[in-house]
Amino acid sequence: MTNYEQFMNRALILAMKGSGYVSPNPRVGAVIVENDKIIGEGWHKMFGGKHAEIEAAENSKRTDFSGCTLFVNLEPCSHVGKTPACSDFIISKKFSKVVVASLDPNPLVNGKGIRRIQEAGIEVVTGVLEKESNWINRFFFKYIQKKSPYVILKIAQSLDGNIALSSGISQWITGEESRKRSHQLRSEVDAVLVGKKTALLDNPSLTVRDVNGRNPYKIVLDSYLTLPLDLKILKCDDRDKTIICCSVNASTSRKAEILKLAGIKILPVETYENGKVTLEQMLVDLTEKFNITSIMVEGGAEIFSSFLERNLIDEIQLFMAPKIIGSGIQSFNNFKINKLNSVANFNIVDFDKSGDDIQITLVRN
Ligand code: AOF
Ligand code: ZN
């Protein structure tokens, strides 16, 4: 790693500390360096809060930064939003150089931040650890560019591709370490989503346990609102973070009223011909109404199959246990193709041993 990369790497580590708290904003970290030594560092801590650059400057306790280089993983902003423009701040504090990883795709910024800093005579270097930085802000990028959430499928399966026995029992196929990593992922995404059958069979709480972090929104697809009220996700204390997506018809039923009175959110969605909620519209509405920029889909096989069929998967987090189940419920049970050249292709971007299991990260081709 070059010096530039080392300092930017530190900025990325700091940026990650904002996970779960800054959405729909990006994860941003900043490091201020003088004579190859870090004199201040900070990160964007919460939505609406100070930007990373300001946090780093305050942390250094300096007021004049001539001779200093600022490392920040996202282009400094040029707009006055909830906070003043960081590019103006950088200019007024007389930084000598700014090193950036990714450009900010937000149309309010989008190159203007860098241009403004350069026009003030400050040297700007871009593209340092850009790939890594783009990865940690993949939710933000999708949200800004598509106004729709980044979709991760989390699959815990056996070596032979089963997520449950034929009886439906699935607890537990993967081991403790994989479950802990799933909780880490839950703490980073805005929402987790399950289908009606999984909500009934597993009665999951969909909370963050075993790791630090806040609970995401809990979304359940229940087109006809038939789920019983005593499920954990409907009874929990933070049920104002439970969203049920149902058909427009069901959303005006008495059951919907009861659920709303209990504090649960109901999202009416148009249905496909088969009566199931339209996933495309649901995703856009979840972003528009709840500012959800990322969703981790946790099952079951029918839901996985529907997301695959509609080509709505951005990423798969596959936890595979070295167990063979035989004829059980396959992860994509309902998905069928007739030609091998129409097979869904993903790229493996990472793999790692997770206890006795393996974790594979795949992204859409
Ligand atoms: C930065 N540094 O640490 C972050 C940036 O509403 P505001 O004022 O918080 O602005 C949010 C936008 O600012 C966000 O959409 C993104 O374009 C940029 N985020 N920029 O210079 C930061 N978090
Ligand atoms: Zn800013």
Side-chain angles (χ1 to χ4, degrees), residues 69-332:
T69 301
L70 172 73
F71 289 81
V72 57
N73 64 296
L74 191 76
E75 169 183 8
C77 63
S78 53
H79 68 292
V80 179
K82 292 186 179 56
T83 60
C86 291
S87 48
D88 293 340
F89 176 82
I90 290 165
I91 296 164
S92 72
K93 297 293 173 187
K94 304 193 169 54
F95 277 90
S96 295
K97 197 191 281 188
V98 178
V99 182
V100 172
S102 322
L103 296 188
D104 186 346
N106 185 345
L108 291 171
V109 187
N110 202 14
K112 291 200 252 326
I114 284 180
R115 223 173 304 133
R116 194 180 290 190
I117 296 168
Q118 280 171 331
E119 279 165 10
I122 298 172
E123 186 189 347
V124 180
V125 178
T126 56
V128 175
L129 296 190
E130 185 176 10
K131 212 173 114 204
E132 291 78 357
S133 171
N134 286 351
W135 176 255
I136 73 163
N137 278 324
R138 61 199 186 285
F139 306 162
F140 173 70
F141 283 24
K142 172 100 190 259
Y143 162 72
I144 287 285
Q145 286 158 352
K146 300 269 159 66
K147 296 275 170 272
S148 183
Y150 187 92
V151 175
I152 301 175
L153 253 59
K154 192 225 76 184
I155 307 174
Q157 69 171 41
S158 65
L159 190 60
D160 55 340
N162 288 297
I163 57 167
L165 308 182
S166 52
S167 61
I169 291 175
S170 63
Q171 285 155 341
W172 300 102
I173 290 177
T174 50
E176 227 169 85
E177 172 63 18
S178 297
R179 294 207 297 279
K180 191 170 169 187
R181 291 184 184 199
S182 308
H183 282 249
Q184 180 63 38
L185 288 166
R186 279 184 186 171
S187 77
E188 293 181 20
V189 292
D190 292 340
V192 288
L193 179 150
V194 293
K196 186 181 90 179
K197 274 195 201 150
T198 302
L200 256 180
L201 261 173
D202 294 355
N203 193 13
S205 40
L206 304 180
T207 52
V208 172
R209 303 181 301 277
D210 299 340
V211 297
N212 291 325
R214 58 92 190 100
N215 290 336
Y217 273 111
K218 305 173 247 285
I219 305 174
V220 54
L221 300 194
D222 182 15
S223 302
Y224 307 107
L225 288 185
T226 54
L227 283 172
L229 295 166
D230 59 354
L231 289 180
K232 285 184 195 159
I233 49 171
L234 303 183
K235 261 191 3 194
C236 55
D237 289 339
D238 63 344
R239 54 185 181 271
D240 57 322
K241 292 196 83 178
T242 298
I243 305 170
I244 309 185
C245 302
C246 65
S247 69
V248 175
N249 264 350
S251 75
T252 57
S253 64
R254 207 178 124 60
K255 178 83 170 272
E257 281 313 310
I258 294 169
L259 289 162
K260 280 193 244 175
L261 278 175
I264 291 157
K265 301 199 159 60
I266 302 287
L267 182 69
V269 189
E270 297 295 335
T271 51
Y272 296 124
E273 272 175 15
N274 66 7
K276 299 281 170 67
V277 299
T278 313
L279 297 180
E280 293 83 350
Q281 191 212 327
M282 176 193 78
L283 290 173
V284 171
D285 286 357
L286 285 169
T287 295
E288 199 182 296
K289 301 205 165 93
F290 301 101
N291 263 341
I292 289 175
T293 68
S294 54
I295 296 184
M296 183 157 77
V297 180
E298 297 208 18
E302 268 182 44
I303 299 288
F304 289 155
S305 303
S306 308
F307 272 84
L308 182 60
E309 212 167 83
R310 318 291 308 186
N311 195 21
L312 295 171
I313 306 170
D314 293 299
E315 176 179 326
I316 299 178
Q317 288 292 340
L318 183 71
F319 293 93
M320 192 160 69
K323 291 179 182 146
I324 297 174
I325 284 181
S327 91
I329 298 176
Q330 282 177 5
S331 342
F332 294 95

Side-chain angles (χ1 to χ4, degrees), residues 33-35 64-69 93-97:
V33 174
E34 186 182 46
N35 298 327
D64 186 317
F65 292 91
S66 35
C68 295
T69 301
K93 297 293 173 187
K94 304 193 169 54
F95 277 90
S96 295
K97 197 191 281 188

Side-chain angles (χ1 to χ4, degrees), residues 322-346:
K323 291 179 182 146
I324 297 174
I325 284 181
S327 91
I329 298 176
Q330 282 177 5
S331 342
F332 294 95
N333 231 0
N334 281 20
F335 182 68
K336 279 197 189 70
I337 49 163
N338 298 320
K339 286 190 242 128
L340 253 187
N341 62 6
S342 54
V343 74
N345 261 334
F346 288 87

